[in-house]
Amino acid sequence: MKLKKKYKKELIKSLKTLAFTEHELLETMTNLMLLKELKKNDITFEKGDTFSFEDNIFDYSEDKNIRKLAKLRRKMIKTMGKLVDGTEFKDKEIEFLA
């Protein structure tokens, strides 16, 4: 029983790391687009402006590196889902994924 708890704890730790990395990847992709494509098209934002987009915006980027990062991020999210589906977690244990 103790080994099962330790296994589950390590899996949760891995999921937390993946979730953090996925978020950082999303920020990086957004920053790359802002630095390159929005600048190239002379799109500017004023203080207080907001920018919203659909997740698939990265798939249409002119920058192949952004498209590759988007593909990696989708694979990470899919893998995280499979890890969660394959294990009996309580909602409280994985609420950080919401």
Side-chain angles (χ1 to χ4, degrees):
M1 183 73 161
K2 191 174 184 177
L3 191 60
K4 189 175 181 179
K5 278 188 175 185
K6 188 170 184 172
Y7 176 85
K8 198 172 184 180
K9 185 178 177 180
E10 286 297 315
L11 193 54
I12 289 171
K13 185 177 171 183
S14 295
L15 284 167
K16 285 181 179 180
T17 301
L18 284 170
F20 175 81
T21 304
E22 180 272 328
H23 178 77
E24 290 292 313
L25 196 54
L26 177 60
E27 279 188 13
T28 300
M29 293 182 328
T30 303
N31 288 335
L32 287 171
M33 277 190 92
L34 289 170
L35 289 170
K36 188 174 184 180
E37 294 183 19
L38 295 181
K39 185 175 182 178
K40 177 183 169 188
N41 295 316
D42 199 29
I43 298 171
T44 59
F45 293 98
E46 301 295 324
K47 186 174 183 173
D49 287 350
T50 59
F51 179 70
S52 63
F53 54 87
E54 301 270 332
D55 226 19
N56 66 353
I57 192 173
F58 302 109
D59 297 329
Y60 302 103
S61 174
E62 296 173 7
D63 188 331
K64 67 180 179 182
N65 293 320
I66 293 174
R67 292 191 310 268
K68 287 178 183 179
L69 290 171
K71 187 176 180 180
L72 173 63
R73 181 174 167 261
R74 277 193 305 278
K75 284 183 179 181
M76 287 176 65
I77 292 170
K78 187 176 181 180
T79 299
M80 289 166 52
K82 287 180 178 181
L83 289 172
V84 169
D85 290 343
T87 309
E88 294 179 13
F89 289 113
K90 297 176 184 162
D91 288 344
K92 185 178 178 181
E93 292 174 317
I94 56 170
E95 65 187 2
F96 63 90
L97 294 174

